[in-house]
Amino acid sequence: MDLSIKKLLKRYDVKIEYTNEVEFTARLFNTPKGIVIIMHSGMPDEMENQVILHEIGHIENDGCQSYQDWRSRIVMEKDANEYMLDKVVVDYIDSCDPIELNSIDFLEHHNLSQSLDYAVRNLIRKNCPNSDDVKS
């Protein structure tokens, strides 16, 4: 787990519990003992980092609220994904020559859905002024 993620977990006072006894990748729970992310054990580090950032995105954007209906779920998941992408795309930009930035390559490398292409392209443009023609 990245140091920056450990700092975020500490800032929000979030604990992580790992288990093989769940069907989901990870979920955020607001318990009497505090906020807990229950995660499926054995994920590769990069995927674990993305999943934790996604769950922290829920805290940042929604304050651990539960879904009220399918519309609120769509918005909350979109916001959490954008939070995660914002953190991961910045690292990607720092590691690439601006000419080589490519949103689809980024998504494939990080095993993310291509439905996130628009968001990734916008984040690259926002964080890298020399990337007017982001490849996809």
Side-chain angles (χ1 to χ4, degrees):
M1 181 182 317
D2 289 348
L3 180 59
S4 61
I5 294 173
K6 288 180 182 180
K7 287 179 181 179
L8 286 170
L9 291 170
K10 186 173 182 171
R11 179 189 330 159
Y12 290 109
D13 194 26
V14 176
K15 307 292 184 260
I16 296 180
E17 293 182 16
Y18 297 90
T19 182
N20 285 323
E21 298 183 24
V22 294
E23 297 294 321
F24 52 82
T25 305
R27 289 219 179 118
L28 184 68
F29 295 93
N30 197 356
T31 72
K33 293 183 179 182
I35 301 170
V36 177
I37 298 173
I38 305 292
M39 294 190 61
H40 197 278
S41 299
M43 279 186 258
D45 288 343
E46 185 174 37
M47 182 179 180
E48 182 176 297
N49 288 338
Q50 292 169 10
V51 169
I52 293 170
L53 285 169
H54 174 93
E55 296 304 327
I56 290 172
H58 282 298
I59 298 167
E60 181 84 17
N61 294 308
D62 314 318
C64 296
Q65 294 180 30
S66 298
Y67 303 132
Q68 300 302 314
D69 54 38
W70 66 271
R71 287 184 184 168
S72 65
R73 178 172 192 226
I74 290 170
V75 170
M76 292 167 84
E77 289 300 321
K78 178 185 97 34
D79 290 346
N81 279 334
E82 288 177 356
Y83 179 86
M84 177 271 297
L85 286 172
D86 189 49
K87 305 292 185 195
V88 179
V89 166
V90 169
D91 290 341
Y92 170 69
I93 290 169
D94 290 344
S95 70
C96 286
D97 182 334
I99 295 170
E100 299 299 318
L101 295 173
N102 183 307
S103 57
I104 298 297
D105 285 350
F106 168 85
L107 292 167
E108 288 175 352
H109 175 77
H110 293 282
N111 200 28
L112 296 167
S113 169
Q114 290 190 8
S115 67
L116 298 170
D117 182 52
Y118 182 76
V120 171
R121 291 169 62 88
N122 285 337
L123 285 167
I124 291 172
R125 285 187 187 109
K126 175 182 146 192
N127 291 292
C128 188
N130 299 330
S131 63
D132 292 333
D133 298 321
V134 180
K135 298 174 196 163
S136 64

